[in-house]
Amino acid sequence: MAIIGDALRQAFMQKHEYESLREEDRAWGKLQRPLLMAFMAAVCLVFLICTIISLNIVFPRNVANRPFCSDRRLQPLSVDVNGGDPDLFPGAFYLTDQETVDYYWMVVFIPSMIIFSVTVVYLIAGIIVAYSAPTRHGCLKVVENNYCASKRGGVRCLSILNAVFAVVFGLLALFLGSSLLTLGSSCSVPLFWCYEVASWGLVTLYGGTAFFLRRKAAVILDEGDFGGRNMGLEMLEAGDLEVTPEVERRVNEGFRTWMGSSLLSSDEEDDPDNYQEVPHLTLNENANDWTWDGMWLACGANSNFIADLPQNLISTLPGRTMAAYEYDDAVVGYDESSATHRQSAGEPPAQDLGYDPNFVPDSVKSFVVHLYRHIREKNVYEIHQMYETSFQTLSERLFKDTPWPSVDAVANYVDNDHVFCLLYREMWFRHLYARLSPTLKQRIDSWDNYCSLFQVVLHGVVNMQLPNQWLWDMVDEFVYQFQSFCQYRAKMKNKTEQEIALLRQYDQAWNVYGVLNYLEALVEKSMINQILENEKEGLEQFTATDGYDYNGGSNVLKVLGYFSMVGLLRVHCLLGDYHSGLKCLLPIDISQQGVYTIVIGSHITTIYHFGFANLMLRRYVDAIREFNKILLYIYKTKQYHQKSPQYEQILKKNEQMYALLAICLSLCPQVKLVEETVNSQLREKYGEKMIRMQRYDDEAFAIYDELFSYACPKFITPSPPSFEEPLVNYNQDAYRLQLKLFLYEVKQQQLLSGVRTFLKVYSTISLGKLANYMEVDEPTLRTILMTYKHKTHAVDSDGKIISNADVDFYIDDDMIVVVESKPTKQYGDYFLRQIAKLEGVINDMDRIKLE
Amino acid sequence: MGVVQKPGQQPVAQTAEELVAVNPYNPDILPELENYVNDQVSSQKYSLDANLCLLRFYQFEPERMSTQIVARILVKALMALPAPDFSLCLFLIPERVQMEEQFKTLIVLSHYLETGRFRQFWDEAAKNRHIVEAVPGFEQAIQAYAVHVLSLTYQKVPRSVLAEAINIEGLSLDKFLEHQVANSGWVLDKGHGRGQLIVLPRNEFNHPELKKSAADNIPLEHVTRIFPILG
């Protein structure tokens, strides 16, 4: 009874105190269900008693003495009233008890009972469903072939039925009950009361059931069997997305629009022309018409293997067939346990059920249907929401460690749309790569999918608008999967015979030429260089519209081409070809905002690789400047990305870039290029290491080694292994080479920090004296000084010599004259800012005067 | 599909560079690029992009690699100093290839040049004449690099230091100096008894006062921000 005490206490609490209670502490919530059940039982009992009494009156043991009819006090009164005012009831006549009872039995009781016996099924089902919510109960089946159920979901339908019956019984109670009173027999009053009480009891039961079904169960359960046709509440409720009325309204509208075209006339499409006219080409067809102005694309050769795929899959690949059997087993396992699964619909499918690629949860149906619709309608905002939030939430909830349903299983829900299926598969593989480890076959299939997708885009047949985030992710993932494949392939030691056979067979998959040519083709075909040039002259808009096309065109090719330049930079960095990488990025002016800065992932990737390439090219100042900018940017904005799926990645790249910045600053101490916040972060992270890096002993090399290894890209060896030679792992080769060459460079600059220290404290010093201090002979000192000059004067991309030196000098005969480059203050910028500020103040003052 | 036109009357060089510009990822142009390397050697031209492109193909298909061509590319890259072309090439050459004797020599030579040790460089080069003399203009290119480093460092350089750096002595050095005085604005300064001093042409690196102070420049875009206020 403590709970009742709690409930009472909480009933008299302050409102805010009550709200601060945790959900499970609220006693009322716990009390609610037993109280409701008790109330319902009481109503049922009353109903039962009334029915029994009325039956007793109708069929008494002694006809002369019907129970409750012997009250003489009422009888004369009613007779008097009726008799005393006969004009009111001109045709009235008075019935005997027997006639009254017969009337009651034939006209009132039997019809009411028939209605009740028909509807009681829905009442009981409704009560049980409401009681067992949020778990789904089998009783919902009673409405499954109803029209309203198929449209609105079973629970809602049940609730509506119960509400209707409540109204019916209410009307019966009003009209039939009042007709009893007019009979004026001694039995009419007790029969009236019995009937009224019983009927209103039923109204209460039906009404209450309807109410609770509507309030509780429908929300949770209605993405059940008819989820594909409902409002997608599952998807919207998930995660941190709030269902505001606004969202609900939009979804409802969307649902209606979609319902209009698809459910009611599913075989007709209203607007087929505003979407992509996709030729349903099979890949081998593509191979033939793939001509690219003398451009070599891997798909030419590649498509042969793609064309061969189906036969190979069936005939030569035992691995695949075995996998298919496993899937079949999984299906059986699922069917067996589907009954229990049904009980708990709305819960994620239990992991131990095994993964059935053909089982499509309702939320996924809803997801693909809506995503498909938004893509068709070019609703970039909604696509972005679904792509960024819903996809992640669903992955988190339903597909934590299984893949999404196969594309074949969802294709039905999206009219088997070719391009949508390619996009879906692209996401499918991305999810697979992120959460599971892909098999070789899956890697090859993913390559295949990217080929098809890019070919469709390159043929210029898509007419959709996709969010920049998605397009960036495509390019990013494409390069990542290439990198991942190279790493995977290079680990030859523990490959099975089967894997090696596959690798030999599909030697075009993730071929480096293919990857580079696809990216290059996207850049070329999109004419992005031309677009960016035109933009500079004001002939065209690209950056201003964030790459989107507001004139009904598609942004896909353009933006893919744009991001492909970043993709090329990254691939070249992975290969160790820094010069070519930077050349690929040239069309993008990274000193300014651009489309690449809109997507945080692309912004970071661009600057990271730009900085790294410049570090390797010894253009330290460029690297420091850009690292400083992006690190400051991340520092200021990272809080906004906390919920982003890329947050981890952002933080990791942030740390790596601090490490690279530490390397740059150790080789080229230009601290004044670094913002104070970034500098303090850097000191915090690497301050002590940077001091030790200045020493140029073995320990210093170890730190350079450590920081470089931590922060460098995952270098790849692009060439396939030679299958004839003994199988060895060569995945570390590329990294080791780059590290070795980098440390070589560090070694060449070994003595420079010593010189720098001395130069800083002298304005002039003779060669002999300095040689003496540094404990070297004079010719050696001359070489050291020349090295200093050479290493601090980099050649920029135009072939011009740029000084990176913080301390400079020149030699006049044998005198060293030191020139410390003074920190030049940017007065201009300062004045500009102050002018703007002053103007603001004056404006404010003017406004005050006016008031 | 990457049909490569056979070079007709046109010099190979032109075509090869164009090919790289049109599609740098087409392995069919590999033979043209190899020819172009030889062409660069014989007619004293240089194209880093074409050479990097070729090295990339070698990286993708190691079985097609020709070490002789790689060696030539590396020598040409050394000649491109002070640009970092040599290390750019090394980044693309697998380590086991770099272990070969001729490449080891080239790496050592590059190391001497990078660290300003010209005497050791010339000694080492003399021992490996077969590598460096295969490429015409090698000596001149290195001398130009040496002069570049010297003029970054010195206002006035002693004759002996110059002689060591460019590996020219005696009468030929006099001739060389004469040429430079006539063409590049060098001035011969009689030293104070110890030896001749050569005044190197002034540039912003050995005469820091020549350096234009970039800090005072404000880009026009920045100024445009306050136009509305000024107007």
Side-chain angles (χ1 to χ4, degrees):
Chain A
M1 286 302 97
I3 193 162
I4 296 174
D6 283 347
L8 287 173
R9 195 151 30 78
Q10 287 170 16
F12 294 104
M13 258 182 183
Q14 294 286 327
K15 191 174 177 212
H16 66 270
E17 277 181 25
Y18 181 71
E19 275 164 357
S20 66
L21 283 174
R22 276 177 302 151
E23 192 64 46
E24 60 266 29
D25 285 341
R26 298 191 182 178
W28 173 240
K30 277 194 268 184
L31 271 179
Q32 218 172 14
R33 185 174 282 200
L35 279 180
L36 279 174
M37 281 299 128
F39 176 70
M40 196 191 73
V43 172
C44 287
L45 193 68
V46 168
F47 171 73
L48 211 64
I49 290 169
C50 290
T51 316
I52 290 168
I53 289 173
S54 67
L55 282 178
N56 265 332
I57 296 173
V58 177
F59 303 111
R61 292 201 190 109
N62 179 1
V63 179
N65 184 21
R66 294 174 195 272
F68 301 102
C69 292
S70 51
D71 192 348
R72 292 289 123 187
R73 278 183 306 167
L74 287 172
Q75 174 73 4
L77 194 66
S78 67
V79 170
D80 282 353
V81 168
N82 290 313
D85 204 359
D87 294 338
L88 273 175
F89 306 99
F93 57 93
Y94 298 100
L95 298 178
T96 63
D97 282 357
Q98 185 57 45
E99 282 164 336
T100 310
V101 163
D102 286 345
Y103 172 84
Y104 176 78
W105 176 249
M106 294 305 293
V107 179
V108 179
F109 190 81
I110 294 286
S112 303
M113 256 315 166
I114 290 170
I115 296 175
F116 176 70
S117 56
V118 171
T119 61
V120 72
V121 182
Y122 296 107
L123 174 65
I124 292 170
I127 292 170
I128 294 173
V129 168
Y131 184 78
S132 60
T135 45
R136 166 172 290 260
H137 199 274
C139 284
L140 262 183
K141 286 205 173 106
V142 296
V143 287
E144 270 186 9
N145 31 23
N146 245 306
Y147 172 70
C148 82
S150 65
K151 203 168 168 181
R152 307 215 176 192
V155 181
R156 262 165 227 275
C157 173
L158 206 53
S159 144
I160 290 168
L161 282 177
N162 275 304
V164 169
F165 296 141
V167 172
V168 167
F169 279 106
L171 291 175
L172 282 179
L174 285 177
F175 291 105
L176 286 182
S178 58
S179 79
L180 277 175
L181 273 184
T182 61
L183 297 178
S185 132
S186 64
C187 285
S188 58
V189 172
L191 284 175
F192 166 78
W193 280 115
C194 284
Y195 187 71
E196 288 296 306
V197 169
S199 301
W200 287 113
L202 282 180
V203 170
T204 320
L205 282 180
Y206 279 107
T209 310
F211 174 74
F212 282 105
L213 278 176
R214 175 118 201 131
R215 201 176 106 183
K216 285 221 163 145
V219 183
I220 308 163
L221 294 178
D222 255 6
E223 26 77 33
D225 285 357
F226 307 94
R229 295 163 188 177
N230 73 9
M231 314 202 298
L233 278 166
E234 155 87 342
M235 222 164 62
L236 288 161
E237 277 183 347
D240 39 24
L241 190 66
E242 254 183 53
V243 189
T244 59
E246 170 65 14
V247 170
E248 197 146 24
R249 187 183 58 76
R250 274 209 314 269
V251 169
N252 283 331
E253 272 174 15
F255 174 59
R256 235 173 287 128
T257 333
W258 178 79
M259 281 274 294
S261 73
S262 203
L263 187 77
L264 304 178
S265 58
S266 54
D267 43 1
E268 282 175 23
E269 290 304 336
D270 305 339
D271 45 0
D273 48 348
N274 73 348
Y275 188 52
Q276 61 266 43
E277 296 286 339
V278 179
H280 286 249
L281 296 170
T282 55
L283 285 161
N284 27 358
E285 279 169 8
N286 271 353
N288 300 332
D289 65 9
W290 183 255
T291 46
W292 186 255
D293 301 32
M295 189 167 275
W296 192 92
L297 265 174
C299 11
N302 178 29
S303 48
N304 294 332
F305 97 79
I306 298 170
D308 289 335
L309 257 173
Q311 300 94 297
N312 293 332
L313 285 184
I314 299 155
S315 58
T316 61
L317 299 183
R320 173 65 185 204
T321 3
M322 276 174 62
Y325 285 142
E326 278 165 22
Y327 284 163
D328 288 345
D329 289 346
V331 174
V332 174
Y334 176 73
D335 281 343
E336 279 169 2
S337 53
S338 61
T340 47
H341 175 62
R342 271 292 147 116
Q343 302 282 330
S344 59
E347 308 265 326
Q351 308 300 352
D352 52 351
L353 288 179
Y355 165 63
D356 171 16
N358 295 314
F359 172 66
V360 184
D362 304 307
S363 40
V364 173
K365 270 183 222 170
S366 181
F367 175 78
V368 292
V369 164
H370 284 86
L371 185 58
Y372 176 53
R373 189 171 59 74
H374 291 315
I375 292 177
R376 293 191 60 131
E377 290 171 359
K378 298 192 185 179
N379 189 339
V380 178
Y381 175 78
E382 289 293 343
I383 300 170
H384 187 250
Q385 288 298 314
M386 294 196 70
Y387 174 78
E388 271 286 272
T389 316
S390 309
F391 185 74
Q392 296 303 331
T393 326
L394 280 177
S395 299
E396 190 60 36
R397 286 186 49 187
L398 299 173
F399 308 105
K400 238 187 165 128
D401 28 43
T402 53
W404 274 61
S406 74
V407 68
D408 302 327
V410 300
N412 293 333
Y413 305 107
V414 294
D415 311 337
N416 287 309
D417 187 280
H418 182 54
V419 174
F420 185 85
C421 287
L422 292 175
L423 291 173
Y424 179 84
R425 264 163 75 86
E426 198 269 332
M427 289 164 79
W428 191 92
F429 281 115
R430 181 131 40 92
H431 170 260
L432 181 82
Y433 269 80
R435 304 222 170 213
L436 307 153
S437 46
T439 64
L440 176 53
K441 192 69 194 51
Q442 283 164 335
R443 288 171 191 271
I444 295 169
D445 287 344
S446 179
W447 161 254
D448 183 3
N449 189 56
Y450 272 114
C451 288
S452 314
L453 183 62
F454 287 157
Q455 281 179 27
V456 169
V457 173
L458 284 169
H459 277 77
V461 288
V462 287
N463 187 21
M464 43 187 184
Q465 296 249 38
L466 291 182
N468 286 331
Q469 174 76 48
W470 194 350
L471 295 170
W472 161 250
D473 285 348
M474 265 183 221
V475 175
D476 190 44
E477 182 71 10
F478 181 65
V479 178
Y480 166 74
Q481 291 191 10
F482 166 63
Q483 170 199 316
S484 166
F485 183 84
C486 287
Q487 295 286 348
Y488 165 86
R489 183 177 55 186
K491 289 178 197 151
M492 286 300 287
K493 246 181 187 164
N494 35 20
K495 290 268 181 295
T496 61
E497 291 282 315
Q498 207 180 66
E499 285 173 315
I500 290 173
L502 267 177
L503 276 178
R504 275 166 180 273
Q505 191 174 358
Y506 300 120
D507 60 336
Q508 290 298 317
W510 295 113
N511 181 299
V512 61
Y513 287 120
V515 171
L516 285 170
N517 275 302
Y518 268 119
L519 293 174
E520 175 75 13
L522 285 168
V523 174
E524 290 281 321
K525 191 89 196 272
S526 65
M527 315 263 286
I528 186 68
N529 292 349
Q530 192 62 43
I531 291 174
L532 290 174
E533 278 302 313
N534 285 347
E535 191 179 45
K536 271 184 209 149
E537 291 158 26
L539 299 173
E540 199 162 347
Q541 285 199 321
F542 181 75
T543 314
T545 61
D546 292 351
Y548 292 114
D549 192 321
Y550 292 116
N551 301 321
S554 166
N555 70 335
V556 174
L557 180 59
K558 270 195 294 183
V559 178
L560 271 183
Y562 182 87
F563 285 136
S564 291
M565 293 192 281
V566 182
L568 278 172
L569 166 67
R570 181 167 166 204
V571 173
H572 280 296
C573 281
L574 293 175
L575 295 170
D577 192 351
Y578 310 108
H579 175 81
S580 309
L582 288 177
K583 227 177 136 194
C584 294
L585 195 69
L586 271 185
I588 300 179
D589 181 4
I590 63 153
S591 66
Q592 286 182 16
Q593 302 268 312
V595 173
Y596 78 99
T597 53
I598 295 169
V599 181
I600 179 90
S602 107
H603 193 179
I604 291 177
T605 305
T606 310
I607 300 301
Y608 168 78
H609 289 99
F610 175 86
F612 186 80
N614 274 304
L615 165 65
M616 296 305 266
L617 282 169
R618 293 211 311 261
R619 295 177 194 153
Y620 303 113
V621 168
D622 289 338
I624 292 170
R625 196 175 293 127
E626 292 305 321
F627 281 143
N628 171 54
K629 265 179 9 196
I630 184 97
L631 288 171
L632 190 65
Y633 178 78
I634 296 175
Y635 182 81
K636 284 181 179 163
T637 59
K638 71 178 168 198
Q639 61 199 26
Y640 305 117
H641 297 285
Q642 266 168 4
K643 282 179 182 167
S644 151
Q646 288 100 17
Y647 188 58
E648 292 284 305
Q649 199 55 33
I650 293 172
L651 289 188
K652 184 167 182 220
K653 278 277 171 281
N654 187 49
E655 292 302 307
Q656 286 185 325
M657 285 192 286
Y658 272 112
L660 291 178
L661 185 60
I663 291 177
C664 288
L665 286 174
S666 301
L667 293 173
C668 171
Q670 290 274 26
V671 187
K672 55 180 189 291
L673 289 174
V674 181
E675 192 82 16
E676 200 37 59
T677 11
V678 177
N679 199 22
S680 66
Q681 291 278 309
L682 181 72
R683 298 290 149 192
E684 200 176 290
K685 291 175 206 283
Y686 295 110
E688 189 233 2
K689 279 185 178 166
M690 283 174 74
I691 292 168
R692 283 193 284 159
M693 276 155 94
Q694 293 297 326
R695 293 212 296 254
Y696 286 95
D697 49 11
D698 284 346
E699 195 197 17
F701 279 115
I703 296 170
Y704 274 108
D705 185 333
E706 177 198 323
L707 290 188
F708 183 86
S709 305
Y710 168 69
C712 68
K714 287 238 174 308
F715 298 110
I716 51 170
T717 307
S719 54
S722 65
F723 298 103
E724 280 73 31
E725 287 168 29
L727 302 175
V728 285
N729 285 352
Y730 61 96
N731 56 320
Q732 294 274 310
D733 286 7
Y735 151 71
R736 257 187 255 120
L737 173 64
Q738 304 298 322
L739 174 66
K740 185 179 132 184
L741 292 172
F742 169 74
L743 289 179
Y744 207 70
E745 180 64 44
V746 172
K747 200 154 202 145
Q748 289 180 354
Q749 305 198 21
Q750 187 166 16
L751 298 168
L752 303 191
S753 71
V755 182
R756 190 176 279 120
T757 326
F758 282 109
L759 291 181
K760 268 185 182 163
V761 291
Y762 289 95
S763 55
T764 50
I765 182 172
S766 75
L767 279 170
K769 206 165 153 194
L770 183 56
N772 205 11
Y773 287 147
M774 291 187 65
E775 297 166 354
V776 289
D777 58 8
E778 210 180 294
T780 314
L781 180 64
R782 284 182 194 273
T783 65
I784 294 173
L785 289 172
M786 280 196 284
T787 312
Y788 183 90
K789 275 285 192 179
H790 170 58
K791 296 289 186 191
T792 54
H793 290 72
V795 183
D796 75 356
S797 47
D798 306 327
K800 250 176 61 191
I801 307 290
I802 301 293
S803 170
N804 290 338
D806 56 335
V807 184
D808 214 341
F809 68 92
Y810 60 87
I811 306 175
D812 184 3
D813 192 6
D814 60 355
M815 271 313 249
I816 307 168
V817 183
V818 181
V819 191
E820 185 145 13
S821 59
K822 285 185 213 86
T824 43
K825 260 210 139 165
Q826 293 279 358
Y827 293 113
D829 214 39
Y830 178 80
F831 278 119
L832 284 178
R833 247 180 296 136
Q834 294 304 319
I835 290 170
K837 219 182 212 169
L838 178 66
E839 183 67 15
V841 172
I842 290 172
N843 281 345
D844 284 349
M845 281 163 60
D846 283 351
R847 219 172 297 136
I848 289 165
K849 226 188 289 174
L850 283 172
E851 272 169 13
Chain B
M1 278 250 207
V3 179
V4 178
Q5 300 213 328
K6 283 280 163 231
Q9 278 86 18
Q10 279 218 322
V12 188
Q14 195 69 31
T15 320
E17 269 187 322
E18 275 170 12
L19 283 174
V20 173
V22 170
N23 184 9
Y25 313 115
N26 175 1
D28 293 348
I29 64 173
L30 188 141
E32 270 66 28
L33 290 180
E34 287 185 334
N35 288 340
Y36 186 47
V37 172
N38 292 330
D39 193 50
Q40 290 176 45
V41 169
S42 56
S43 48
Q44 302 205 23
K45 283 178 295 194
Y46 182 62
S47 164
L48 175 66
D49 288 331
N51 292 352
L52 285 179
C53 186
L54 180 58
L55 286 176
R56 210 158 47 214
F57 293 143
Y58 286 156
Q59 189 191 22
F60 299 164
E61 298 170 84
E63 65 279 359
R64 292 175 80 175
M65 181 183 285
S66 144
T67 47
Q68 198 204 353
I69 296 285
V70 175
R72 288 182 173 183
I73 291 175
L74 284 178
V75 176
K76 286 301 267 186
L78 264 191
M79 291 160 63
L81 274 167
D85 296 11
F86 189 81
S87 38
L88 285 180
C89 294
L90 280 190
F91 287 135
L92 294 174
I93 300 170
E95 202 172 357
R96 57 187 161 70
V97 178
Q98 294 187 16
M99 286 301 151
E100 280 182 32
E101 207 50 51
Q102 54 176 340
F103 297 123
K104 271 193 193 161
T105 312
L106 283 172
I107 291 169
V108 169
L109 288 177
S110 134
H111 182 69
Y112 287 148
L113 288 179
E114 287 279 341
T115 51
R117 283 183 257 178
F118 291 103
R119 164 166 292 174
Q120 279 115 314
F121 168 81
W122 291 115
D123 290 350
E124 191 67 31
K127 282 185 227 156
N128 297 282
R129 293 198 165 278
H130 60 286
I131 301 175
V132 295
E133 284 190 353
V135 183
F138 180 78
E139 225 163 275
Q140 288 85 337
I142 301 300
Q143 282 162 355
Y145 165 67
V147 169
H148 158 79
V149 178
L150 287 174
S151 59
L152 286 184
T153 317
Y154 292 92
Q155 284 185 351
K156 291 178 192 158
V157 59
R159 186 186 160 103
S160 59
V161 173
L162 176 69
E164 187 185 293
I166 60 175
N167 200 30
I168 302 179
E169 276 174 344
L171 283 177
S172 359
L173 182 59
D174 288 335
K175 226 176 193 174
F176 177 84
L177 286 174
E178 216 169 278
H179 182 79
Q180 294 291 352
V181 168
N183 293 305
S184 310
W186 292 23
V187 178
L188 301 184
D189 187 1
K190 284 278 167 247
H192 317 292
R194 283 187 295 131
Q196 201 178 26
L197 279 179
I198 295 122
V199 184
L200 293 173
R202 294 150 67 91
N203 59 42
E204 59 175 286
F205 307 109
N206 61 15
H207 281 84
E209 69 275 7
L210 291 178
K211 196 169 176 180
K212 272 179 275 160
S213 124
D216 288 347
N217 296 334
I218 302 167
L220 185 64
E221 301 95 83
H222 291 191
V223 184
T224 51
R225 280 191 313 217
I226 59 162
F227 277 2
I229 300 169
L230 299 175

